[in-house]
Structures are given as structure tokens and as C-alpha cells.
């Protein structure tokens, strides 16, 4: 039996109900077989066995009172996965699907992603099964305050620095930061993604989307191409999707889709800057649904999500590039085949683990330019790292300065993945490149720090 299979069997036996975590571990450990052959010290030191076990898991009750005066109870989590190269760092996700397995997969991915950023950040993730959709501002505030009334004792600017993820944006970060500040009586950079007036960084909202497009541009550069004139499929309509669309437009590409959990929009005339402005107002201010886009712009069609379909029709349009920016496992094997059939040869993942293992195998077999999430979407957490630096300095950089640093970081992540894939005998395979390069920095630090 291969070492990867042995590890996976053990993980499954220990935590049978965590399929997303199994999936994330399997992908990384498969890539690492190439490393373990050359470096027996990692096996001797049981680095893999240690790296898949969170350093600490915090699970807590989050009681709050809704607008009807009724008591609600949610579950809160923080997974402190690995602190070998810096304080735990990673987002909080508020979504009804949140459970321990999903947060462990996200925390595990975060360890490798953060290692790739070149910045000193360990990996963590947290959140709650709370659903912000349809809740009033006051309900969201009471929930966030209750969540932080427990989390505050576990985090700190040099210990664990949470940020946003699905369902957690500037509003939620604000309510949580306010509560943290009150309880600790100190103003520190304990959260990132803060508002500009209270310690946030310019370009943080843009960073994940911009970064994922910069990564695609770097991949295209290896073939002497650019994004100019390329049709792009984008899923999602939140912060990542919005700024992915904006950067595609800056670089001359043509974004034609957006989606939410109810359905998707296809606009063959392209989503231009004016239409993007409309989307931002619709999603960020009115908190509406994407179906409204088709009422406003007649060139667009809206297709409601159909759970009976075995594929997602969003991925079945003629295009050159795909930017999955919604959620995990949104592209299955059938979708990946549809992408290839429709001419897509660049996939840059703004979401975390949006492609199933079957889908990833298809990309790799077809040798398309495929940037896995832990490399392609690392721009978000990178600018979070820059926010931490600015907070420590009590100073703020200009947009140009931050964007410039973001571009340098994305280039260096691309180069590191590209060269590592080549060095380990799988040229062009950014999955192996990202997993191995991300692993080596953390693994070497863990060995230096001893068995702790
Ligand atoms: N949730 C984002 C991610 O998946 C950002 C994390 C952060 O900024 O700490 O990387």
C-alpha cells in the first residue's frame, strides 16, 4: 500500500465524517510522495502525521437573541492548525454548511497557502453554522458579539489573527473587532479585513480577486499569451468574484458569468465596468440576488440552479478561461470535461478547493494552465499579512504600494510553484508545485523547532 493511502486510511478511520478534509489531505499527500522519496527525514520525523493534526481545535456555543426575541444557538469553531512559521492566520466562514470537517479542510489548505505567500503566517480557520442571509443588521451584530465574547480569549495579534471568508465581510469584521476591543481594552491588529478608518489596508477587499487574475496572467505568460480578448467564466458574486471581474476588465478580458446559490447569469455581451458597478451595489448594499441582473440588462439570461442536474450549466459556455470564485467542489468531473470541450485552457481558482479530484485529474491530463486555490487565491491572505505589517508599524501604505507588493507576491508564488513542479519532475503541474513548495517551508521549520 502506498504511503499516501496509508495516511488517508488512518485519517478516515479517525474522523470518518469529514470528507472534505480527506479530500484536501489526499491531494497534498499524493504530491508529497515525490518529496518523501528524496527526503527520508520527513518520514523519520513523522512530519506528515503531525501536519494533518490541528495544534488545537476550539468549539463553542454561540447563543444570541433574534429580532422576534427568540433565543438562537449556533456553534462556533476555530481550528488552530499550524504555527510553525508564524501566528495562526485564516478566515472565518459563516454559512449553514459549516462543520468541523469543512473547517479542517480549509485550515489545512491555509497552512500551505500561507507558506507560499512568502510572509510569516501559520494556518488557521474558523466560523459558524450561522446563516447571515436574510438576517437584519442588528441580528448579525448580536451574533458577531456573542461569537467574539468567546473567541477573544483564544486569539491575539501575535497568536491567531482571523479574517473574513464566505459570509464574513467588513460588516461582520467590524462588529467582531468592536467587541474584541471592548473586552480586551486594547486596539490591536487582531483581525484583518478591517475598515479603512480603523486599521484596515487599502486593496484588502480587492486582493483575492486581483491575485487570482494576476496568477492567471502569469500562467498565460509561460505560453507567451495575455488575457487580452479572452472570454472568462466567473462563478460567485461576492467579494472574490467582483474583483476578479474588475481585474479581468483591466487586463482586457471579457467576463460573461456570475452566480449565487439560486442560479447564474450569462451575459454574452460581457460584464463591463457599469454592469459591475450595478452588481456591487446589488450585492454589497442591497444584499439582493443575481437574478435581478437579467431584469436590468436584456443581453443577459438567468438560469435557476437545478439540483437534479449532474453538472453546472455555468461551466458549459464557450470561453478561454474559468475563475471559480464561489465555494468548494463547484466543478465536478463532468463540469471539467465541459470546460475543456468549450475551449477553456486556463483555470485559476479564487475559491478554496472548487474542483473535485476527478475534475483536477482532467485538467492535469489535458495539460491546461491550472492554478489550484492554495496558490491562485493566496492574494487575499497575502494582503492580510500586509495589513498586519502596517498595523505593527502604525502606518498605512497607499493603494499603489499595496497593489505593487501584491503583484510581486503573486509573481513569486507562481515562480515558486512553476520551478518546484519542474524540479520534482512534473513540469507544468502547479498542483504538485504548490503542495510541495508550501510543504517544504513548514516542514523544515517544524524539524528546526523540534517535536512540540
Ligand atoms: N479567507 C481567505 C482565504 O481563504 C482570507 C484569509 C485571511 O485573510 O486571513 O485565504
Amino acid at each position: 500500500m502506498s504511503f499516501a493511502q496509508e495516511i488517508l486510511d488512518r485519517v478516515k478511520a479517525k474522523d470518518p465524517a469529514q470528507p472534505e478534509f480527506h479530500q484536501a489531505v489526499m491531494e497534498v499527500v499524493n504530491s508529497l510522495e515525490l518529496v518523501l522519496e528524496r527526503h527520508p527525514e520527513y518520514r523519520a520525523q513523522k512530519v506528515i502525521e503531525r501536519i494533518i493534526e490541528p495544534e488545537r481545535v476550539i468549539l463553542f456555543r454561540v447563543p444570541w437573541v433574534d429580532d422576534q426575541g427568540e433565543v438562537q444557538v449556533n456553534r462556533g469553531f476555530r481550528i488552530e492548525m499550524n504555527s510553525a512559521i508564524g501566528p495562526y492566520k485564516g478566515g472565518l466562514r459563516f454559512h449553514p454548511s459549516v462543520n468541523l470537517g469543512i473547517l479542517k479542510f480549509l485550515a489545512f489548505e491555509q497552512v500551505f497557502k500561507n507558506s507560499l505567500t512568502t510572509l510569516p503566517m501559520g494556518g488557521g480557520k474558523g466560523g459558524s453554522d450561522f446563516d447571515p442571509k436574510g438576517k437584519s443588521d442588528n441580528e448579525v451584530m448580536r451574533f458577531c458579539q456573542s461569537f467574539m465574547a468567546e473567541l477573544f480569549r483564544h486569539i491575539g495579534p501575535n497568536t491567531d489573527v482571523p479574517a473574513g471568508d464566505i459570509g464574513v465581510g467588513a460588516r461582520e469584521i467590524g462588529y467582531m473587532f468592536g467587541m474584541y476591543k471592548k473586552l480586551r481594552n486594547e486596539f490591536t491588529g487582531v483581525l484583518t479585513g478591517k475598515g479603512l478608518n480603523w486599521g484596515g489596508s487599502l486593496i484588502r477587499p480587492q486582493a483575492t480577486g486581483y491575485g487570482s487574475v494576476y496568477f492567471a496572467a502569469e500562467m498565460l505568460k509561460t505560453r507567451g499569451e495575455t488575457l487580452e480578448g479572452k472570454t472568462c467564466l466567473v462563478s460567485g458574486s461576492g467579494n472574490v468574484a467582483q474583483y476578479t471581474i474588475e481585474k479581468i476588465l483591466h487586463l482586457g478580458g471579457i467576463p460573461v458569468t456570475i452566480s449565487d446559490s439560486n442560479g447564474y447569469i450569462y451575459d454574452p455581451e460581457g460584464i463591463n465596468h457599469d454592469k459591475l458597478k450595478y452588481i456591487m451595489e446589488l450585492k454589497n448594499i442591497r444584499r439582493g440576488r443575481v437574478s435581478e441582473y437579467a431584469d436590468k440588462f436584456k443581453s443577459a439570461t438567468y438560469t435557476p440552479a437545478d439540483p437534479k442536474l449532474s453538472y453546472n450549466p455555468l461551466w458549459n459556455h464557450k470561453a478561454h478561461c474559468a475563475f471559480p470564485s464561489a465555494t468548494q467542489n463547484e466543478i465536478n468531473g463532468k463540469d471539467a470535461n465541459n470546460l475543456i470541450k468549450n475551449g477553456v485552457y486556463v483555470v485559476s481558482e479564487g475559491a478554496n478547493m472548487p474542483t473535485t479530484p476527478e475534475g483536477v485529474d482532467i485538467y492535469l491530463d489535458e495539460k491546461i494552465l491550472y492554478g489550484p486555490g492554495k496558490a491562485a487565491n493566496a492574494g487575499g491572505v497575502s494582503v492580510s499579512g500586509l495589513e498586519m505589517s502596517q498595523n505593527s508599524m502604525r502606518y498605512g501604505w497607499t493603494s499603489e504600494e499595496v497593489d505593487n507588493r501584491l503583484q510581486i507576491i503573486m509573481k513569486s508564488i507562481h515562480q515558486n510553484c512553476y520551478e518546484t513542479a519542474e524540479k520534482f519532475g512534473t513540469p507544468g503541474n502547479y498542483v504538485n508545485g504548490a503542495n510541495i513548495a508550501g510543504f517544504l517551508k513548514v516542514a523544515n521549520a517544524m524539524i528546526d523547532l523540534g517535536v512540540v
Side-chain angles (χ1 to χ4, degrees), residues 411-430:
K411 275 194 175 116
S412 113
I413 295 174
H414 175 270
Q415 193 178 341
N416 193 3
C417 295
Y418 187 86
E419 289 175 358
T420 305
E422 209 149 64
K423 188 165 154 209
F424 283 86
T426 56
N429 184 329
Y430 291 93

Side-chain angles (χ1 to χ4, degrees), residues 89-91 110 113 125 163-165 192 204 352 380-381 384:
K89 180 83 197 85
Q110 200 82 43
K113 184 195 309 194
K125 203 88 188 190
D165 195 79
T192 62
R204 178 62 190 87
N352 288 311
V381 74
S384 277

Side-chain angles (χ1 to χ4, degrees), residues 12-31:
K12 280 185 175 165
K14 223 176 195 182
D15 296 303
Q18 300 177 354
E20 294 84 3
F21 181 58
H22 305 159
Q23 184 182 333
V25 169
M26 186 64 182
E27 188 210 278
V28 169
V29 179
N30 269 335
S31 295

Side-chain angles (χ1 to χ4, degrees), residues 19-220:
E20 294 84 3
F21 181 58
H22 305 159
Q23 184 182 333
V25 169
M26 186 64 182
E27 188 210 278
V28 169
V29 179
N30 269 335
S31 295
L32 293 182
E33 290 211 293
L34 299 165
V35 181
L36 300 174
E37 278 166 25
R38 294 192 199 176
H39 295 278
E41 67 272 22
Y42 298 128
R43 278 198 74 170
Q45 295 273 342
K46 298 254 167 47
V47 175
I48 314 279
E49 289 84 340
R50 285 195 271 155
I51 214 167
I52 60 176
E53 198 66 29
E55 288 179 16
R56 187 178 300 106
V57 173
I58 301 148
L59 199 156
F60 51 100
R61 177 172 71 199
V62 190
W64 56 284
V65 181
D66 70 17
D67 286 348
Q68 284 68 50
E70 210 165 298
V71 175
Q72 301 286 342
V73 184
N74 286 98
R75 188 171 276 183
F77 305 86
R78 186 71 183 165
I79 319 294
E80 296 184 334
M81 198 75 195
N82 194 298
S83 62
I85 62 166
Y88 309 107
K89 180 83 197 85
L92 297 169
R93 177 176 291 192
F94 292 169
H95 191 269
S97 66
V98 161
N99 59 40
L100 190 55
I102 288 191
L103 293 179
K104 274 177 66 185
F105 118 63
L106 289 163
F108 184 70
E109 292 263 309
Q110 200 82 43
V111 172
F112 300 85
K113 184 195 309 194
N114 293 5
S115 161
L116 289 170
T117 65
T118 71
L119 304 173
M121 296 182 289
K125 203 88 188 190
S128 173
D129 57 0
F130 173 75
D131 187 1
K133 204 161 69 188
K135 302 288 191 301
S136 70
D137 272 355
N138 275 328
E139 289 177 322
V140 170
M141 179 175 76
R142 287 194 294 272
F143 173 81
C144 289
Q145 290 176 336
S146 177
F147 186 86
M148 189 50 86
E150 173 58 37
L151 189 66
F152 87 101
R153 52 185 114 248
H154 309 288
I155 61 176
N158 296 308
T159 306
D160 183 352
V161 184
D165 195 79
I166 293 171
V168 178
R171 173 181 62 169
E172 291 74 18
I173 294 290
Y175 295 145
M176 287 190 277
F177 186 70
M179 193 62 179
Y180 182 89
K181 189 169 73 58
K182 182 184 170 103
L183 291 169
R184 283 257 194 251
N185 192 27
E186 63 180 30
F187 194 114
T188 54
V190 66
L191 296 172
T192 62
K194 299 187 291 299
L196 278 183
N197 294 328
W198 36 280
S201 173
L202 287 161
I203 305 293
R204 178 62 190 87
Q206 290 84 346
T208 311
Y210 279 17
S212 139
V213 182
Y214 291 145
F215 197 87
E218 286 300 309
M219 292 196 293
L220 278 163

